[in-house]
Amino acid sequence: MLELLDLDKRIDKETYRKVYPELEVQLGECQRQLRAAGIPVVVAFEGWDAAGKGTLINRLTQTLDPRGFKVHVVQRPSQNERFYPWMWRYWNSLPATGDITIFDHSWYHRVLSARFERQVSPMQCDQAHNDIVHFERQLADTGVIVVKFWLHISRQEQRRRFKRLLRSPATAWRVAKHERRQHKHYDEWLEAAEEMFQRTSTGHTPWHVVEATQGRYTRIRVFETLVDVLQRELKRRAEAPKAVLVPMAEPVDSPTRQQTILDRVDLSLSLSRDEYEEQLDNLQQRAGQLQNRLFLARKPAVIVYQGWDAAGKGGNIKRMTAGLDPRGYEVVPIAAPTPEEKAQHFLWRFWRRVPKAGHVAIFDRSWYGRVMVERVEGFCTEEEWQRAYREINEFERQLVDFGAVIVKFWLHIDQDEQLHRFEARQNTPSKQWKITDEDWRNREKWNKYKVSVVDMLKQTSTTFAPWTILEANNKLYARIKGLRTVIAAWERALKDAK
């Protein structure tokens, strides 16, 4: 594609003086409308070194209200960022509702600079293309406008600009080892860019390739493109019907739903107190030893607890952590999202809490709220919770690709046992804080939640992050099985890492 571009495109000064000021006015108006509509925007600039990204971003920010944008300059990952999945830093840089984030280089660093500096393997580079498509689609699906620019110049033009920069000590530093290497391997970079366009230019986030030989032409083209994209999106969304939030309907009796995976769980499984005490200490010590080995191997671990109200998640977590070093794990309790969190993709708040390499994150409830509570209560649209199955699997796949060990528990009890525990909490003064009116309301929706749980288990139990059902009518049995499951998963991961 790039070889077909006319890099000699120019705009004369007179035309530029007529057109450019009006584009600045239009772009400023777009920003105000985006703020009023609560629409976030991501603008990513990629392209050749010395193609003019810095100058262009400077002109762009002079046009915008500085209270409504941020600029992120992406270089090689910092020492801290290397301890997290590679997309972590980009999730943490996303704009708030109505704001604009401008990236000088972006997540494409991994398939361009990191690729040529051999910081990633060919397999990792291939996977990065897939991760990028998933990331951008998730942003677009949640309402973020993503605009991507590639500033293109010829090899000869790049050489000319490098020579001009080298003439002055004030600018010579901008032509360093990386820039020289890129110029030397221009054709290989060109091939990588072409592959990048083919794999990541999609209907929701297409690439805009800009001929960047002349500054005036480049500015007009970028500003025109931005104004066009933003105006079209503002109009489309203003005319689109408002999403309707509808609580889940009572499930209809069906022969196909009479025997589900939950109905086949043997809730009679139990342990005596003596058997429990005999096993507990040894298992907790073993978990602590494995935690140390995970730290030395720099392998992160994620443990997810989901289950019925009063199923024993808190007690299970307490026994799970008793033998662990508190400096190396964090328990993350998940409640209803805050207004700030609601303004982002639903996975945003979980990306911010993923464990760094060698550490353990234990989630007391998790990202599965989207396909259970939010689905049942009508806090999201059907399209959103249906889409979430795929997005969750993509999220967990990226964690596993980074080296994380994921263990997911569904703590299962029957309705009679739940009622018994509710009444016990209500009648015990020291435990009354554990029971709320919401718990009783949720109990009335047992059948709805059961349908959502079964669908969740089917859709998101993968080879890389399978679900484990803990038979939790007997708390002692569930705690021991949980410890054994985590220990087995950590042992396998450490063995595979050798």
Side-chain angles (χ1 to χ4, degrees):
M1 178 182 71
L2 295 177
E3 74 277 2
L4 301 177
L5 296 179
D6 179 6
L7 294 177
D8 291 326
K9 288 183 176 179
R10 299 266 193 294
I11 288 181
D12 60 74
K13 291 182 180 179
E14 184 178 353
T15 303
Y16 178 78
R17 292 193 187 102
K18 291 179 180 178
V19 175
Y20 185 69
E22 178 59 26
L23 287 172
E24 288 185 301
V25 172
Q26 292 177 4
L27 191 56
E29 177 59 26
C30 283
Q31 184 188 22
R32 289 186 286 276
Q33 291 182 35
L34 291 164
R35 171 61 62 91
I39 301 173
V41 179
V42 169
V43 183
F45 285 97
E46 294 286 352
W48 297 101
D49 292 325
K53 293 183 291 295
T55 301
L56 187 56
I57 291 172
N58 184 45
R59 290 298 187 96
L60 181 60
T61 56
Q62 289 176 28
T63 303
L64 301 174
D65 184 335
R67 296 166 294 182
F69 73 82
K70 290 182 180 179
V71 176
H72 289 279
V73 180
V74 175
Q75 299 172 326
R76 64 175 59 195
S78 67
Q79 189 63 36
N80 183 57
E81 289 167 341
R82 291 192 182 99
F83 284 109
Y84 291 92
W86 77 275
M87 289 297 298
W88 174 81
R89 58 172 170 162
Y90 304 112
W91 278 95
N92 277 276
S93 300
L94 292 177
T97 300
D99 284 350
I100 299 173
T101 297
I102 302 169
F103 285 89
D104 180 1
H105 294 298
S106 64
W107 42 95
Y108 287 95
H109 176 275
R110 192 167 180 88
V111 296
L112 292 171
S113 296
R115 171 181 179 174
F116 278 90
E117 293 174 7
R118 303 189 186 282
Q119 297 171 359
V120 297
S121 67
M123 182 180 297
Q124 290 173 317
C125 184
D126 181 67
Q127 183 59 47
H129 280 109
N130 295 330
D131 294 342
I132 287 169
V133 171
H134 297 161
F135 172 61
E136 293 177 352
R137 185 185 62 223
Q138 289 173 11
L139 295 187
D141 285 342
T142 203
V144 181
I145 301 175
V146 181
V147 189
K148 305 182 298 189
F149 291 105
W150 174 268
L151 303 188
H152 193 57
I153 56 176
S154 67
R155 187 173 190 174
Q156 293 73 23
E157 178 64 18
Q158 187 183 55
R159 182 188 298 116
R160 187 182 69 80
R161 296 186 183 189
F162 281 174
K163 287 182 178 180
R164 186 175 62 199
L165 291 170
L166 288 168
R167 291 192 193 111
S168 170
T171 57
W173 62 272
R174 294 171 58 185
V175 187
K177 184 177 179 180
H178 169 81
E179 287 74 19
R180 295 175 189 273
R181 186 186 299 118
Q182 186 194 77
H183 182 70
K184 180 179 179 181
H185 299 282
Y186 183 95
D187 290 340
E188 291 93 332
W189 273 79
L190 187 67
E191 184 178 348
E194 291 278 14
E195 180 187 1
M196 178 185 74
F197 297 145
Q198 292 169 17
R199 298 189 60 175
T200 63
S201 193
T202 62
H204 45 266
T205 56
W207 276 102
H208 301 278
V209 180
V210 179
E211 302 87 339
T213 303
Q214 189 206 43
R216 289 194 297 270
Y217 176 86
T218 305
R219 286 190 288 277
I220 294 292
R221 175 74 183 282
V222 167
F223 275 56
E224 280 182 340
T225 302
L226 265 178
V227 169
D228 179 59
V229 170
L230 299 179
Q231 287 180 342
R232 280 191 289 108
E233 276 298 303
L234 284 164
K235 181 181 179 181
R236 183 184 68 82
R237 298 186 192 199
E239 296 174 350
K242 300 297 181 183
V244 179
L245 299 178
V246 181
M248 183 177 178
E250 192 68 33
V252 177
D253 287 336
S254 167
T256 63
R257 286 191 177 272
Q258 287 179 356
Q259 277 295 320
T260 69
I261 186 173
L262 295 182
D263 296 310
R264 297 194 297 272
V265 175
D266 185 359
L267 291 176
S268 67
L269 294 172
S270 65
L271 279 179
S272 67
R273 174 63 64 173
D274 288 343
E275 292 173 314
Y276 171 73
E277 298 291 352
E278 182 181 342
Q279 298 180 48
L280 182 63
D281 187 56
N282 288 334
L283 291 173
Q284 289 173 335
Q285 288 185 35
R286 181 60 180 155
Q289 293 166 358
L290 290 169
Q291 181 198 16
N292 291 332
R293 291 176 58 191
L294 288 172
F295 178 78
L296 293 173
R298 289 292 185 264
K299 290 194 71 66
V302 173
I303 306 175
V304 173
Y305 282 93
Q306 296 282 169
W308 297 105
D309 291 331
K313 293 184 290 295
N316 209 297
I317 291 172
K318 185 175 181 180
R319 275 69 181 186
M320 182 66 66
T321 59
L324 303 182
D325 186 334
R327 296 169 296 180
Y329 77 82
E330 178 187 13
V331 176
V332 184
I334 299 301
T338 65
E340 179 190 19
E341 292 166 344
K342 287 180 180 179
Q344 298 277 2
H345 190 283
F346 83 97
L347 287 174
W348 177 76
R349 61 174 173 155
F350 303 109
W351 268 104
R352 303 179 80 191
R353 305 303 294 271
V354 298
K356 65 181 180 180
H359 287 240
V360 180
I362 301 172
F363 287 88
D364 182 0
R365 295 191 171 92
S366 67
W367 40 96
Y368 286 97
R370 170 57 56 105
V371 296
M372 287 196 296
V373 175
E374 294 184 39
R375 172 188 176 182
V376 172
E377 304 295 340
F379 296 153
C380 65
T381 66
E382 181 175 354
E383 179 186 0
E384 287 173 329
W385 66 255
Q386 289 278 17
R387 189 173 66 227
Y389 294 128
R390 182 194 68 225
E391 294 172 330
I392 287 170
N393 289 337
E394 292 168 352
F395 169 54
E396 294 177 351
R397 173 82 260 180
Q398 288 189 47
L399 297 184
V400 171
D401 287 343
F402 177 64
V405 190
I406 301 179
V407 179
K408 303 183 300 192
F409 292 123
W410 174 259
L411 276 72
H412 190 52
I413 57 176
D414 59 34
Q415 287 179 280
D416 291 340
E417 179 62 24
Q418 186 187 62
L419 179 60
H420 170 72
R421 294 183 186 183
F422 277 14
E423 291 175 342
R425 290 179 175 183
Q426 196 160 311
N427 296 327
T428 306
S430 62
K431 294 184 177 181
Q432 287 175 353
W433 64 272
K434 289 187 174 183
I435 188 75
T436 65
D437 291 341
E438 185 178 351
D439 293 326
W440 288 105
R441 286 194 297 270
N442 289 343
R443 177 174 166 78
E444 295 175 359
K445 301 172 184 176
W446 180 281
N447 291 334
K448 296 180 182 180
Y449 275 102
K450 182 179 177 182
V451 169
S452 69
V453 171
V454 171
D455 289 346
M456 175 193 75
L457 296 174
K458 288 180 179 178
Q459 296 278 0
T460 62
S461 193
T462 58
T463 56
F464 50 86
W467 279 98
T468 298
I469 297 177
L470 298 185
E471 300 85 347
N473 265 17
N474 182 277
K475 294 181 180 180
L476 308 184
Y477 179 87
R479 293 168 187 171
I480 294 299
K481 182 176 177 179
L483 275 163
R484 289 189 179 280
T485 302
V486 167
I487 287 169
W490 288 3
E491 287 177 335
R492 285 194 302 271
L494 288 165
K495 182 180 179 180
D496 293 342
K498 290 182 179 178

